[in-house]
Amino acid sequence: MLSRTELVRYGAAALAGGALALSFPPRTLWWLAVPAFLVLWLTMRDVRARRAAGLGFVFGMAFFLPHLLWIEHFLGNDFGPWPWLVLSAIMALFVCGACALMPLVSRLPAAPVWAAMLFVLQETARGLIPFNGFPWGRVAFGQPDGPFGQLAVVGGAPLVSFAVVFTGFGLAHWLPRVKAAWAVLPFAAALAVGPLISLEAQNGQRTIAVVQGNAPNIGLGLLDAADTLRANHLRKTAELKALIDGGSVPKPDLVVWPESATRTQDHDPVIDRAVDSLGVPVLVSALRNGENAVIAWQPGTGPGQSYAKQELVPFAEHIPLRPLARLFTPFADTPDMNAGTEPGDIDIAGTRVGLGICYEVAYDYVLRESTAAGAQVLVVPTNNAWYGRGEMTYQQLAMARLRAIEHGRAVVVAAISGVSAVVRPDGSVVQSTGMYTDALMTDSVPLRTDITFATRFGGAIHVLLTAGAFGACLCAIWLRRRARPEPESLPR
């Protein structure tokens, strides 16, 4: 039976995990992440690895259960709470593993530094394994409204996560000692890098229109609603044409459809007529030839360049372990989609557009590669209609906002049923739509060509943080073995 002290520790770890969940959008309580990690550190003070692992698991479950509640809306009616509970538990196990190693590195000088690196390491690991990972819920994705988010321009999401976790751990470790000043260095650095974030248009501007055709809020019923989605977006595109002709909406340079707005083939006379009538290039996001693709549809010439989604959603767009998958996913008997292999860069409307489709915005490399290849604006088509009115769409928008800061680019998010948004290069949202409504959104965005430090060196910074975590563990093991007394020689 747990002692009262142990119960207090576990209760505090659960409260800390809940506070971290509250720090994420749609709330603007970004600052709650710091006390969350402060409390987590205090719960692990003077405990061994096994107890630290248990505290980490409780912290992780208290965070992921509310953070991923939208999965329960998606699958709960057909599969009960088990997919939500199991995924939350798997994600919490990564936190558990990182926390199990923290007592080891706590013996080193500047212990909060190495512990924060371990936390970033587990974020990296769960973005890779199993089955290419699930990088949702990284600490950085809760920070686009606060100063810490500005560090993305230097080191992307890994550096932002590190800064937040280190600040919380450092305050707990060093307060009320003079060394506590070290803990606020990341916050000071975040304020200092603000001037590196620029909104200036370096290659003119483009007016981009988003067509949000809407979808019924029927969860898995969308599997049979492809014709409805197509009709909605064709109808809304025709409405955009009428508004342009009537002079109430300026003619855009580019129009964007959201992810899987239609199914199409290499030849589609209906979309040809819609685009020809509009007289504007359209990025048509469609399921085509076994790919989740974005196609540059030109007036007069039809489909041209395209980008295929590289990061397919496990157990939805590709199915590992099919016999097991039948227990918790309705997609188990559908063929795997074909993953793309090339960065998402398309020349359209006189602009180099970088693309990341839906789930891909959570992966660092996708939009980094697009921007490094010359993208002047980023576009993220998405379909969040599966997940009801929960927080998923706001969580994903927060990722897009962080990517805007990271790469110094405007980001246009086009969602089937909301929230669609226009994001400036500083991460601010200047226009957005509601959920489960059809809408048209038009705005001018700056085209930028400068490459940020994070775009150029963010991958290297990520590697350094990972190497630091491994190096700290190895160093701590070596020091512990060295400190053990030599066994006395046996008498001969």
Side-chain angles (χ1 to χ4, degrees):
M1 182 177 292
L2 295 175
S3 69
R4 180 177 297 179
T5 300
E6 291 168 330
L7 286 172
V8 169
R9 285 185 190 269
Y10 282 108
L15 287 173
L20 182 61
L22 289 173
S23 73
F24 278 71
R27 294 159 296 276
T28 55
L29 302 175
W30 58 268
W31 52 270
L32 270 178
V34 172
F37 287 103
L38 185 154
V39 172
L40 178 61
W41 184 269
L42 292 177
T43 67
M44 294 190 294
R45 180 172 286 175
D46 301 323
V47 301
R48 294 179 180 271
R50 182 179 296 179
R51 182 58 47 77
L55 292 164
F57 184 77
V58 169
F59 174 87
M61 285 295 283
F63 168 65
F64 282 110
L65 283 173
H67 191 69
L68 301 178
L69 185 59
W70 44 269
I71 290 175
E72 167 65 3
H73 176 91
F74 175 37
L75 296 172
N77 290 338
D78 293 80
F79 295 91
W82 297 111
W84 166 57
L85 294 174
V86 170
L87 179 59
S88 297
I90 291 172
M91 296 298 99
L93 284 173
F94 286 91
V95 182
C96 165
C99 289
L101 294 171
M102 288 182 190
L104 177 66
V105 301
S106 67
R107 299 179 175 89
L108 298 176
V113 173
W114 317 117
M117 287 182 178
L118 282 171
F119 201 89
V120 175
L121 176 62
Q122 67 83 21
E123 289 191 339
T124 302
R126 61 183 173 83
L128 296 171
I129 54 176
F131 315 121
N132 228 26
F134 185 72
W136 223 262
R138 296 164 72 182
V139 173
F141 296 153
Q143 296 298 311
D145 286 303
F148 284 111
Q150 296 183 158
L151 287 170
V153 75
V154 177
L159 184 61
V160 176
S161 288
F162 170 79
V164 174
V165 179
F166 169 69
T167 301
F169 284 173
L171 287 172
H173 184 72
W174 285 311
L175 278 178
R177 289 174 281 177
V178 176
K179 289 183 179 179
W182 290 104
V184 299
L185 276 180
F187 188 80
L191 296 175
V193 301
L196 297 179
I197 299 171
S198 175
L199 298 174
E200 176 189 358
Q202 297 170 315
N203 195 30
Q205 295 191 334
R206 291 291 182 273
T207 300
I208 298 180
V210 171
V211 175
Q212 180 176 302
N214 199 21
N217 185 6
I218 53 176
L220 290 175
L222 288 173
L223 288 169
D224 301 315
D227 291 344
T228 299
L229 299 185
R230 178 180 171 94
N232 286 354
H233 287 83
L234 287 167
R235 172 182 52 79
K236 207 65 185 173
T237 301
E239 182 179 322
L240 175 62
K241 162 68 173 171
L243 292 172
I244 293 170
D245 291 345
S248 56
V249 171
K251 186 173 184 177
D253 301 299
L254 176 65
V255 174
V256 181
W257 279 19
E259 180 192 22
S260 59
T262 187
R263 296 177 184 271
T264 189
Q265 300 295 327
D266 295 330
H267 179 62
D268 192 322
V270 175
I271 297 181
D272 282 343
R273 287 194 295 271
V275 176
D276 291 349
S277 175
L278 195 60
V280 174
V282 180
L283 286 174
V284 174
S285 300
L287 302 177
R288 181 182 72 166
N289 300 331
E291 295 178 339
N292 188 342
V294 177
I295 308 156
W297 220 287
Q298 301 282 358
T301 59
Q305 285 183 287
S306 66
Y307 166 69
K309 189 176 184 180
Q310 301 173 78
E311 288 293 341
L312 301 177
V313 180
F315 301 104
E317 293 174 317
H318 76 97
I319 313 296
L321 305 176
R322 284 186 184 271
L324 178 63
R326 290 188 178 91
L327 299 176
F328 58 85
T329 175
F331 304 98
D333 294 314
T334 60
D336 284 352
M337 302 198 76
N338 302 317
T341 57
E342 299 296 326
D345 290 290
I346 286 180
D347 286 311
I348 188 169
T351 308
R352 191 76 170 168
V353 176
L355 293 160
I357 300 175
C358 191
Y359 184 61
E360 293 187 311
V361 74
Y363 287 85
D364 294 340
Y365 80 92
V366 174
L367 292 179
R368 180 193 299 145
E369 289 183 349
S370 299
T371 308
Q376 300 166 304
V377 63
L378 302 176
V379 171
V380 179
T382 183
N383 179 2
N384 297 328
W386 303 92
Y387 308 108
R389 294 186 178 274
E391 297 181 0
M392 187 272 192
T393 188
Y394 299 102
Q395 294 168 4
Q396 193 175 63
L397 175 57
M399 299 176 199
R401 294 174 62 195
L402 194 79
R403 300 306 182 194
I405 301 169
E406 180 178 4
H407 301 300
R409 298 292 186 269
V411 179
V412 176
V413 179
I416 284 270
S417 59
V419 171
S420 301
V422 175
V423 181
R424 293 290 188 244
D426 63 354
S428 61
V429 177
V430 294
Q431 190 175 167
S432 63
T433 67
M435 294 180 67
Y436 290 103
T437 180
D438 58 6
L440 295 170
M441 185 176 63
T442 304
D443 210 334
S444 293
V445 298
L447 303 183
R448 293 184 49 78
T449 54
D450 278 356
I451 300 296
T452 66
F453 194 89
T455 303
R456 197 179 301 275
F457 299 111
I461 291 174
H462 198 173
V463 169
L464 287 174
L465 291 171
T466 302
F470 281 114
C473 290
L474 293 174
C475 182
I477 291 170
W478 179 75
L479 289 172
R480 186 170 65 178
R481 289 182 175 178
R482 188 181 179 190
R484 288 177 181 169
E486 293 291 333
E488 294 184 4
S489 298
L490 295 174
R492 294 182 178 179

